[in-house]
Amino acid sequence: MVEKISGSDAVLKVIEQWGVDHIYGLPGGSFDSTMNAIHNQQNQLKFVQVRHEEAGAIAASASAKLTGKIGVCFGSAGPGAVHLLNGLYDAKSDGVPVLAIVAQVPSSNMNKDFFQAMDEEPIFDDVAVWNRTAMTAQSLPEMTDEAIRKAYMKHGVAVLTIPKDFGWAEINDNYQPNVKSHVAPLYPEPRKEDVNEAVQMIKDAKSPMIYFGIGAKDAADELKEASEKFKMPLVSSVLAKGILPDDYPAYLGSTGRVAPKPGSEIGFSTDLILWVGNNVPFSIFLFNKNAKVIQIDIESEKLGKRRHNDVSMLADSKKALRAIIDAGEAKEPSAFYQASLADKKNWNDWLASFSDSTEMPVRPEPIFDVLNKTASNKAVWAIDVGNVNINFERLIDMHDDQKWATSGIYATMGFALPASIAAKMEYPDRDVYSLSGDGGFAMLMEEVMTQVKYNLHVVNVIFSNETLGYIEAEQTDDSHQPLSGVDLPATDWAKVCEGMGAVTYTVKTKDDMQKALADAKKTDKPVVIDVKLTHKMPFTTQHMFLDSSWQDKAKIDEFVKKYDAQDLKPFSYFLKEAQNHQLQTN
């Protein structure tokens, strides 16, 4: 005789068999049947009660980014469903698998203008790769299985909507999900003719470089070997930070507005880009338009999408790089390569000169210096959106088995707190940090209560400068308009978060930060550190004035004074030095 199970219990049973052990959400009346199932299966599946459904969806997205496994969240009918959208769009934009379970009013009250009833399916059409409403209770376990498989296959969001009465209904407990049938895809091998053409282009290039994204996450060794053999400096997308350690000499960091100076400069002097697993929208603005491109990607639709390419390699990045390395001839260091390394050293020396600055309010460099020296080799960083992205990209030295996550292409503020909750749930034995500006922190600051509720030892750092700094810089540097709507009220975040139950500190100096982090190790509670940060904007790589060979001297003087950039040299300076050195030695 077949045993019976409720529809919602059957849904959770499938989720658990797929290896999911956390589900994020906030209960509502329409979700009661599934909350009952969560209670029934509390020993198999941990429910994390967030303070806002948006935070639950962001946590699920961050969980998928950090682990590669599907993240799961839920929302009740109506407002609970709508609140999920922001976090789901983050998952969609960065291409990670998330399952959202959405409640619906009982089927007998659907489409009748009932309390909190709405046609939910259309609002998820754009964000989801799979979006269905159950028509029968019996279909729920199979639909759950299908949703998860589609989320994995299409690297995106699957939405399953469950009418409340279907969650209570008794169905046969005999469904077997297709977990064992889910195997990692076999990506194509590079074609020999493409490899040969790529090798010849690298041989002929005078200033080649490598530009890689998260599609190269499993190819760190090959990236290094290609760089060393062909003397190609490496630049990454923002999200690919951490694939290579930041102290690797030929890795210049990311490129674009949030990037370090060296990574932002060399793209305009390159004549060949080996483009590996990268889909950054801003790429059209970041490189010499006449440079040739060898592009490697596993998705044909990405080939040539962000700019023209000369060789399209539909192949796994690790395999393609290995084929190019094995087929190519080693090159001598070019002036371009040597200048890139010298530019990085100049930049790093300049940053280090501020590490012990006593300037008040405190600069970011002393604070990040303490974070670098405190964080373990297995630290996990949850990074908000804004100027904190800039400072993290430039000042945190990723190494060893450290991990991090942010909201990349979607770039939603408020990401860090929910992401840190997911990080601590997934990696309870690691040290976890959330880094936020005061603007981003204020958006979902209530999630400190979630950290307190579950006694999550997360160190939350708020960089308080009383402005939406990233937007302030855009209004100042890009549109040259009067500042409008960017000011934030001065807030005692330590006092606010102390009221929520966190251990709190206010930091105004580097010594304060050292003491706060030392004390933070003595508690198992959430920690909130309010850093009263300088109101100066971070060095802009988008509007640099450093090069006297073609830029106005008055603008250079103004720029240098504004950013204390007296010791910085433009890339052209190092390129000329390297060229002269080669002439003298030849």
Side-chain angles (χ1 to χ4, degrees), residues 256-257 264 394 470 474 478 539-544:
R257 185 179 185 125
S264 298
R394 299 175 183 178
Y470 199 90
E474 285 183 331
D478 296 354
F539 180 96
T540 175
T541 56
Q542 196 168 6
H543 304 280
M544 280 191 291

Side-chain angles (χ1 to χ4, degrees), residues 441-453:
F441 184 80
M443 284 192 170
L444 288 171
M445 60 171 290
E446 71 276 2
E447 298 308 324
V448 171
M449 289 189 280
T450 305
Q451 294 179 354
V452 171
K453 177 181 174 71

Side-chain angles (χ1 to χ4, degrees), residues 12 109 224 432 519:
L12 298 190
N109 291 322
K224 291 179 184 177
V432 174
D519 286 349

